[in-house]
Amino acid sequence: MGPPKQSGSNIQNVLNKFRTDLSRNAKVLADGAKAREEKIRQKSSASRRPTTQKSRKGKSSSKGQTNASSGGKGEQAWMNDAKGPEELPLGLRQKQVIDHVKDREAPVSIEEILNATGRNIEIEADLKRALEAHPKVAIDGATGMYTYVPDAHVKNKQQLLDYIRASGAPVPVPEILDSYKQVTEDIISLKKSKDIIGLYSYHPDLNCEVLYALDPSLAGLEADGDVSALWANFPLPDTDEGMDEALKKAGIAPAPRKEKPKRIVSEKKKKKRKQTKLRAVTNMHLMHLLEGEGPTMIDG
């Protein structure tokens, strides 16, 4: 007995059910693929999260430090990553204020500091305390103005020359570099005019160029011929060791000299060459070539 015949309506119902099941299965497959992609994305995000947390931890732990580049980050990196002024380390905020006050070379108000650097000293209590304790910052109690305090209080070339002349000892160049903006150019100018001379000092406490003022009353002074000849003909040792020895004999302590770093030459370990065993070398395997009569001619 064969299968029962189905009417046209039943066939249509079967087709409709098939289409419904097909669309449902396609939706299930699409949702599954979407869920897998979301799971992969979350897993990838989770693998990067510890690095971000470590970076945030570095930020929060650097707030109380005075080093502007805490954690190895530069100033611009801190500025880019910070969401607000409270996230910048104290050292960086303090540097911003001091750099601005130094560049102005004049008393600066709190309002100007706020407009120029974004630092609100009245609100940032830790910054205010740090600036009050900083040796390079002076605060006027009456006006509340902030002023930069250099090591040498000079503002122009003439004051610089007077400062060097009045100093009882050679003036180290780093001591006057933060005095005013044109100080480097004025040092060069004073050297060209022969008002001062610069020599490099290798003294451990200095290790920099030092400046001496030339006595203007000695300008144009000429030595006698015999003195000049004595100076020119006096023999000097050829080596530093010989010069030091000659000074010691004269009762003069040699000036400290910058020593060249000694290069330690490491001796390379020579690899021992393996001794090969000598084996007897013979031509016993060629003995069959000698059997019979030997050739009488080389060619032919």
Side-chain angles (χ1 to χ4, degrees):
M1 184 176 180
K5 295 182 179 180
Q6 297 182 356
S7 63
S9 61
N10 290 336
I11 293 174
Q12 187 65 37
N13 291 336
V14 172
L15 291 175
N16 291 338
K17 184 176 182 302
F18 176 75
R19 292 192 186 97
T20 303
D21 293 342
L22 184 63
S23 61
R24 186 185 298 114
N25 292 337
K27 186 176 184 301
V28 170
L29 291 174
D31 292 343
K34 186 177 181 181
R36 286 194 298 273
E37 292 178 359
E38 181 66 19
K39 189 174 181 181
I40 293 172
R41 187 185 65 80
Q42 292 178 355
K43 187 175 180 181
S44 176
S45 176
S47 65
R48 292 193 299 266
R49 195 171 299 148
T51 304
T52 306
Q53 292 176 352
K54 184 177 179 181
S55 176
R56 290 177 181 173
K57 183 178 179 182
K59 287 183 188 177
S60 60
S61 64
S62 302
K63 290 181 180 179
Q65 297 180 3
T66 58
N67 185 3
S69 58
S70 303
K73 293 178 64 175
E75 180 176 347
Q76 190 59 43
W78 278 111
M79 298 293 293
N80 295 337
D81 295 344
K83 297 179 180 179
E86 67 279 355
E87 290 194 6
L88 293 176
L90 174 60
L92 176 56
R93 291 180 282 138
Q94 180 177 259
K95 181 179 182 297
Q96 291 176 329
V97 175
I98 294 178
D99 286 349
H100 175 69
V101 176
K102 176 184 176 183
D103 187 67
R104 288 282 288 107
E105 296 184 351
V108 183
S109 64
I110 293 178
E111 291 76 13
E112 182 180 344
I113 293 174
L114 175 60
N115 295 331
T117 66
R119 305 273 64 82
N120 194 335
I121 299 177
E122 294 179 336
I123 295 178
E124 302 175 42
D126 58 341
L127 176 59
K128 184 177 182 180
R129 290 192 298 269
L131 292 173
E132 290 174 348
H134 202 284
K136 291 287 185 178
V137 178
I139 306 173
D140 192 324
T143 62
M145 304 285 278
Y146 286 72
T147 308
Y148 183 77
V149 181
D151 292 332
H153 297 275
V154 294
K155 297 298 180 184
N156 52 56
K157 184 166 69 171
Q158 185 58 48
Q159 291 183 6
L160 174 62
L161 179 58
D162 295 340
Y163 179 84
I164 298 174
R165 284 175 175 173
S167 179
V171 177
V173 170
E175 181 180 312
I176 56 179
L177 284 181
D178 66 341
S179 300
Y180 59 98
K181 294 179 182 178
Q182 301 296 324
V183 65
T184 303
E185 290 78 359
D186 288 345
I187 292 174
I188 297 174
S189 177
L190 290 173
K191 287 180 180 178
K192 289 183 178 179
S193 61
K194 297 184 179 181
D195 290 306
I196 63 173
I197 60 172
L199 299 174
Y200 199 91
S201 174
Y202 293 108
H203 193 280
D205 296 336
L206 297 175
N207 199 25
C208 64
E209 185 184 13
V210 294
L211 303 176
Y212 298 81
L214 297 177
D215 190 348
S217 63
L218 301 179
L221 185 64
E222 295 183 1
D224 295 337
D226 55 346
V227 176
S228 300
L230 182 62
W231 174 269
N233 297 328
F234 188 83
L236 294 176
D238 296 331
T239 62
D240 293 340
E241 292 77 8
M243 178 66 73
D244 291 346
E245 189 65 27
L247 290 172
K248 290 177 181 178
K249 289 182 179 179
I252 303 174
R257 193 176 287 108
K258 188 175 182 179
E259 295 183 359
K260 294 182 180 179
K262 295 181 179 179
R263 184 178 178 183
I264 301 175
V265 180
S266 58
E267 295 182 359
K268 294 183 180 180
K269 293 182 178 180
K270 294 182 179 179
K271 294 183 179 180
K272 292 183 178 180
R273 187 176 179 180
K274 291 184 178 180
Q275 294 181 352
T276 56
K277 294 182 178 180
L278 296 177
R279 295 180 175 88
V281 180
T282 64
N283 291 327
M284 295 298 295
H285 61 292
L286 302 177
M287 291 300 294
H288 64 283
L289 298 177
L290 302 178
E291 296 178 355
E293 295 181 357
T296 59
M297 298 177 60
I298 296 177
D299 296 331

